[in-house]
Amino acid sequence: MIDFKLSNGVEIPAMGYGVFQMSSAEVAEHLPQAIQAGFRHIDTANGYYNEVAVGEAVRESGIPRSEFFITTKLWPRDYGTADCMAAIDASLDRLGTDYIDLLLLHQPYGPYTEAWKVMEEALAAGKVRAIGLSNFPREKFQEVLDVADVTPQVLQVELNPRCNQHVLKEWLAPLGVVFEGWYPLGHGDAELLKLPPIVAAAEAHGVEPAQVCLRWSIQEGNVVFPKTCNPEHMRQNLAVLDFALTDEEMAAIDAIPQAPYYVVPDEAPAFIDQMPPFDQQM
């Protein structure tokens, strides 16, 4: 496994297993397959309603908790100072663990600067090992920086060859922020996998175009956690650690015109306030 080192020295595996939009039953079936394949980094969230299943799969694997890297995320309704620590404790309870490896603020809405200060307290108390943000644009990231004693160690955003985030990464480079990417394969965009630079690299290395996209992202210094319920695809995803793209191949992919698949709205969408209680696991 390739690991990246966060600004506080914590090491994070570059390849993770994502459980977004997976029911608890699906997690119970497929996360053990991913663990057996070799995945140790798991990305969940209280808003995914499957933290309990993730925790159970980790415990039932028979592998020491210390060998896993578990990420979860807080939802905006729990950002207020009075609610945030209780929400962190609730995630710990659902996961059945004494600590969370990485805790993120999931969405850039609500009193996120208040939540950041509570997350700093959780970090100091050992409840979490690293803290960061998810889906935060530059302006809102700066608002967190303005109140922070601990600089966010991770930013999770859309990252793929059509959304390489180079401008945002350049801005944050002096802070040592590690980027994590969702939609690493373009949200199922078959046309992305047919682009000439990606096809050419796949043919040169004898791999699939999807593997080229994942390898490109890791070589860019990004953490990726592609979601799949297919054991063969799990093995293919891990196999991207076994080859490397050339500088010329990386440059050709970097030159792909940018067209993000999703733009995070400035104002909170309706679904932000419509989530049922997080203890109602699916």
Side-chain angles (χ1 to χ4, degrees):
M1 180 59 69
I2 297 172
D3 294 327
F4 298 134
K5 186 170 287 188
L6 304 182
S7 59
N8 65 347
V10 169
E11 292 188 345
I12 181 171
M15 173 66 72
Y17 185 72
V19 297
F20 176 57
Q21 291 185 330
M22 291 177 67
S23 68
S24 293
E26 289 172 326
V27 170
E29 179 180 359
H30 299 295
L31 181 52
Q33 296 169 339
I35 293 171
Q36 183 176 19
F39 285 91
R40 296 294 182 267
H41 178 183
I42 306 162
D43 182 89
T44 184
N46 53 25
Y48 296 173
Y49 295 91
N50 55 26
E51 288 175 306
V52 171
V54 166
E56 290 176 349
V58 167
R59 288 190 300 278
E60 292 173 4
S61 71
I63 298 169
R65 167 67 179 90
S66 59
E67 295 188 22
F68 287 93
F69 191 101
I70 299 176
T71 298
T72 195
K73 313 175 190 75
L74 299 176
W75 199 249
R77 69 162 172 244
D78 292 325
Y79 285 179
T81 302
D83 301 317
C84 192
M85 192 63 79
I88 295 171
D89 290 338
S91 277
L92 286 166
D93 287 343
R94 287 191 290 268
L95 289 164
T97 185
D98 294 331
Y99 65 93
I100 295 163
D101 293 282
L102 174 62
L103 181 66
L104 305 176
L105 297 183
H106 201 157
Q107 300 284 352
Y109 310 114
Y112 43 81
T113 56
E114 291 182 26
W116 187 256
K117 301 308 293 181
V118 177
M119 287 173 60
E120 290 181 338
E121 294 176 15
L123 181 68
K127 294 182 179 183
V128 300
R129 298 177 65 222
I131 52 178
L133 304 172
S134 175
N135 299 310
F136 274 64
R138 175 170 175 164
E139 295 76 13
K140 293 183 178 182
F141 196 109
Q142 183 62 56
E143 291 177 23
V144 173
L145 288 177
D146 290 343
V147 303
D149 292 312
V150 177
T151 299
Q153 288 131 0
V154 169
L155 177 60
Q156 186 179 115
V157 289
E158 179 184 349
L159 270 166
N160 53 66
R162 280 185 165 151
C163 184
N164 60 36
Q165 299 286 3
H166 283 179
V167 174
L168 187 57
K169 292 179 77 172
E170 182 178 2
W171 177 63
L172 288 173
L175 301 180
V177 177
V178 169
F179 275 66
E180 294 186 327
W182 47 261
Y183 282 3
L185 301 178
H187 195 42
D189 179 10
E191 296 306 311
L192 172 66
L193 303 182
K194 296 177 184 177
L195 293 178
I198 294 174
V199 172
E203 293 175 347
H205 294 276
V207 298
E208 296 297 325
Q211 291 175 293
V212 169
C213 290
L214 296 177
R215 182 67 204 192
W216 164 84
S217 196
I218 289 174
Q219 284 186 222
E220 286 257 305
N222 306 322
V223 175
V224 294
F225 33 86
K227 172 195 169 185
T228 180
C229 295
N230 183 320
E232 177 57 29
H233 290 168
M234 295 174 192
R235 290 188 286 271
Q236 289 178 353
N237 291 344
L238 286 173
V240 308
L241 305 173
D242 298 334
F243 73 96
L245 299 173
T246 67
D247 291 344
E248 292 76 15
E249 289 165 341
M250 291 291 292
I253 296 172
D254 284 345
I256 291 172
Q258 298 296 280
Y261 293 92
Y262 180 74
V263 176
V264 178
D266 289 335
E267 300 298 325
F271 72 85
I272 294 293
D273 295 323
Q274 295 173 352
M275 303 286 276
F278 297 126
D279 58 1
Q280 295 180 8
Q281 303 284 283
M282 295 184 292

